[in-house]
Amino acid sequence: MKSIVVANWKMNPATMREAKLLFEATRKAAERAKSVSVIIAAPAVYLRELRSRYKGRRVSFAAQNAHFEKAGSFTGEISMSQVRDTHAGFVIIGHAERRAMGETNADTRKKVAAALACQLTPILCVGETTRSGKGEHFIYVADQLREGFNDVLPAKVARVIVAYEPVWAIGASKPMSAGEMHEMAIFIRKTLQAKGLNAMSVRILYGGSIDETNAVDMRRNGDVNGLLVGRASTDAKKFATLIDVLNDA
Ligand code: PGA
């Protein structure tokens, strides 16, 4: 099965010129990696130009966030239909860095529904901030999943991607172990199944300190369909290598 790799550029790079260079290097790697689907989550101001210049089919585009309301007085926000209008196909929802700025489970619930209504594929991020060893993080993640999927009709479940990103592993020195991810992937499916949803149709990604050295292990042993990559995705060389090794795995 194809691997999905989301390049979360976050608030990088500084200029459109650099964005084009990074895109070009990523595009080349994606073009030769037949078994990897690359999704670039560029800053919203770069999306339309990158998308319109690209004539191929191997790379897809995502917004890093969008509002759940259709339109109106929401200074600084962009709507799902505006994202769709750039011809991006995906939108990241509830990233830990957005949640840290105040985004709630109720917001993600509305955003997932709004994305689906605009024919965008939501990439719903979940993940606990800390782990105590007592397993409370499972309860925390289950709440995020139950809310996030609350307004998703059973027929649309397969359209949603879940990105599990333990906050303590984002921007860290190493990812969570693939064994722990495997356990979490089972838990995610169980939680969705208990909600009456066809959990086997949901694609699951892991994110947090993934780079070209650990991507294959996580993909092979973490029970995931792919990876969400932050820092390593803005280093053109590292990211091209990551795509290559995943393609060969
Ligand atoms: P990182 O970020 O790969 O730099 O740890 C991942 C993310 O926040 O999506």
Side-chain angles (χ1 to χ4, degrees):
M1 230 221 265
K2 268 195 163 196
S3 300
I4 300 168
V5 181
V6 182
N8 181 10
W9 287 2
K10 306 191 180 182
M11 202 166 72
N12 304 295
T15 63
M16 184 72 219
R17 201 184 139 267
E18 291 165 273
K20 282 182 194 161
L21 291 174
L22 178 57
F23 175 76
E24 198 42 34
T26 303
R27 181 195 69 74
K28 279 195 189 136
E31 230 58 82
R32 57 178 184 258
K34 304 248 176 309
S35 58
V36 183
S37 296
V38 178
I39 302 168
I40 297 184
V45 285
Y46 298 153
L47 270 181
R48 180 182 298 276
E49 190 167 342
L50 292 178
R51 178 68 193 88
S52 66
R53 289 162 51 93
Y54 179 59
K55 302 288 176 248
R57 304 193 57 170
R58 298 220 88 85
V59 179
S60 306
F61 295 83
Q64 298 173 10
N65 174 47
H67 203 277
F68 49 80
E69 291 289 353
K70 287 198 175 80
S73 305
F74 302 98
T75 302
E77 295 285 346
I78 56 171
S79 71
M80 296 290 173
S81 56
Q82 287 168 338
V83 172
R84 186 68 211 157
D85 192 56
T86 69
H87 299 290
F90 298 77
V91 56
I92 296 177
I93 292 173
H95 187 278
E97 287 151 16
R98 306 280 334 157
R99 291 182 189 262
M101 285 184 259
E103 188 158 324
T104 64
N105 283 342
D107 294 328
T108 64
R109 165 187 179 172
K110 289 185 238 174
K111 288 183 179 195
V112 168
L116 289 171
C118 282
Q119 318 303 326
L120 290 168
T121 297
I123 303 171
L124 174 66
C125 298
V126 298
E128 75 284 357
T129 41
T130 53
R131 280 194 182 190
S132 69
K134 289 198 198 121
E136 291 119 327
H137 60 279
F138 285 117
I139 298 167
Y140 190 85
V141 171
D143 275 348
Q144 291 180 320
L145 287 168
R146 280 194 288 260
E147 276 264 356
F149 276 81
N150 204 61
D151 299 342
V152 180
L153 296 172
K156 293 273 178 78
V157 167
R159 297 258 329 273
V160 183
I161 297 176
V162 172
Y164 172 70
E165 299 202 294
V167 181
W168 47 271
I170 297 177
S173 55
K174 60 178 177 46
M176 186 172 83
S177 76
E180 284 173 300
M181 182 60 230
H182 183 78
E183 185 186 31
M184 183 51 78
I186 294 170
F187 178 77
I188 290 169
R189 289 199 199 94
K190 268 192 178 164
T191 305
L192 296 177
Q193 205 67 45
K195 218 172 147 38
L197 303 171
N198 176 12
M200 292 315 286
S201 66
V202 173
R203 289 157 293 171
I204 300 176
L205 312 180
Y206 167 82
S209 297
I210 287 295
D211 63 20
E212 72 287 6
T213 68
N214 52 38
V216 170
D217 175 46
M218 187 58 85
R219 171 69 172 107
R220 273 207 194 128
N221 307 315
D223 193 13
V224 289
N225 302 86
L227 306 161
L228 201 159
V229 186
R231 283 159 298 168
S233 74
T234 54
D235 180 321
K237 248 188 158 165
K238 269 175 178 274
F239 197 58
T241 308
L242 188 155
I243 293 172
D244 285 342
V245 294
L246 264 187
N247 189 49
D248 294 339

